[in-house]
């Protein structure tokens, strides 16, 4: 189990190794960033986008949250963290692709499917309940089509459905609608299966997922 002291040791190895080896790259990044891809992923510690996609610092703009969810476009008062990051990536960094990456064994999707956080107080699961409420319609559909929601088939169906929900919510943002229409922005759905390490990509026309290899 890694503790912060172990992380400081890791920083020492990075500072004396990788950072020194890529000095030109870090000097370039000190001047700014220009990633072409935004990745929206889950906060789950087992799903690290830069490791899965084998990218270097500065190559992908990453937002991570519970279940890799994107809320719909809203103008109501509130703390719109994901929307702010999305706005920055699309309008200022001018990314050309947005990847929503769900994953297997997702705790947030499990809670949405089983409604295990429903009725919880804020600080005791209530914040999670409010967040994953975005998946209510999708979870109702999964429950209606799967007799046993405790099996892996139902779990994976929920996890892939969550990616579709986020893709649909992305398309409620006017700036994304405009850039998709112009052909300057592409949305992609992906699913990483922790158990076997296989990445699945979503067919935008059908919503189905297929393994990349």
């Amino acid at each position: 189990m890694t503790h912060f002291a172990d992380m400081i040791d890791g920083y020492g190895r990075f500072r004396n190794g990788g950072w020194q080896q890529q000095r030109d790259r870090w000097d370039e990044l000190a001047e700014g960033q220009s990633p072409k891809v935004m990745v929206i992923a889950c906060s789950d510690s087992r799903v690290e986008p830069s490791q899965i996609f084998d990218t270097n610092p500065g190559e992908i703009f990453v937002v991570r949250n519970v279940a890799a969810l994107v809320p719909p476009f809203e103008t109501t008062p509130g703390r719109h963290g994901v929307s702010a990051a999305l706005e920055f990536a699309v309008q200022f960094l001018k990314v050309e692709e947005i990847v929503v990456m769900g994953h297997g064994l997702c705790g947030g999707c499990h809670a949405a499917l089983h409604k295990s956080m429903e009725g919880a107080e804020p600080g005791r699961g209530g914040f999670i309940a409010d967040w994953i409420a975005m998946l209510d319609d999708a979870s109702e559909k999964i429950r209606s089509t799967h007799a046993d929601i405790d099996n892996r088939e139902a779990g994976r169906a929920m996890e892939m459905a969550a990616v579709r929900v986020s893709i649909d919510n992305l398309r409620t943002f006017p700036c994304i609608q405009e850039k998709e229409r112009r052909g300057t922005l592409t949305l992609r759905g992906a699913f990483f299966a922790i158990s076997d390490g296989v990445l699945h990509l979503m067919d935008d026309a059908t919503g189905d997922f297929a393994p990349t290899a």
Side-chain angles (χ1 to χ4, degrees):
M1 187 67 70
T2 300
H3 297 282
F4 187 63
D6 302 311
M7 293 165 62
I8 294 298
D9 290 340
Y11 163 72
R13 293 189 296 273
F14 160 73
R15 187 71 172 80
N16 296 314
W19 188 81
Q20 292 289 347
Q21 293 163 13
Q22 298 190 61
R23 282 301 301 274
D24 290 344
R25 177 61 173 162
W26 286 105
D27 287 344
E28 179 184 336
L29 291 175
E31 300 299 321
Q33 60 172 324
S34 56
K36 300 300 182 185
V37 181
M38 177 184 192
V39 178
I40 300 168
C42 185
S43 299
D44 193 301
S45 62
R46 299 166 293 180
V47 188
E48 174 52 60
S50 62
Q51 184 174 27
I52 292 169
F53 294 110
D54 192 25
T55 58
N56 292 311
E59 291 182 337
I60 57 176
F61 184 78
V62 180
V63 171
R64 300 179 70 173
N65 62 58
V66 173
L69 293 177
V70 176
F73 179 77
E74 297 174 321
T75 58
T76 55
R79 311 289 186 181
H80 302 296
V82 175
S83 300
L86 181 66
E87 185 177 65
F88 180 68
V90 171
Q91 300 288 59
F92 297 93
L93 294 179
K94 301 188 184 305
V95 297
E96 298 172 2
E97 298 175 282
I98 300 176
V99 180
V100 177
M101 185 177 71
H103 70 93
L105 307 173
C106 177
C109 288
H110 183 276
L113 182 59
H114 291 76
K115 293 187 173 293
S116 56
M117 297 292 178
E118 195 171 46
E121 298 178 4
R124 297 180 181 275
F127 290 129
I128 298 172
D130 287 345
W131 181 248
I132 62 176
M134 283 185 271
L135 299 177
D136 281 353
D137 290 345
S139 64
E140 287 289 350
K141 184 175 181 179
I142 301 299
R143 283 195 296 275
S144 69
T145 55
H146 290 76
D148 181 8
I149 62 171
D150 289 318
N151 63 31
R152 189 82 281 273
E153 181 184 350
R156 178 167 287 203
M158 183 72 249
E159 291 151 4
M160 290 180 170
V163 175
R164 299 186 195 101
V165 168
S166 285
I167 294 289
D168 287 345
N169 285 347
L170 280 169
R171 290 192 166 116
T172 65
F173 284 77
C175 62
I176 289 179
Q177 295 171 8
E178 177 185 348
K179 289 178 180 289
E180 267 202 304
R181 188 167 54 248
R182 290 180 179 177
T184 58
L185 180 66
T186 301
L187 306 185
R188 303 188 188 279
F191 172 85
F192 179 72
I194 290 176
S195 58
D196 58 19
V198 175
L199 183 73
H200 299 68
L201 298 181
M202 189 186 85
D203 184 303
D204 195 54
T206 66
D208 294 333
F209 287 79
T212 56

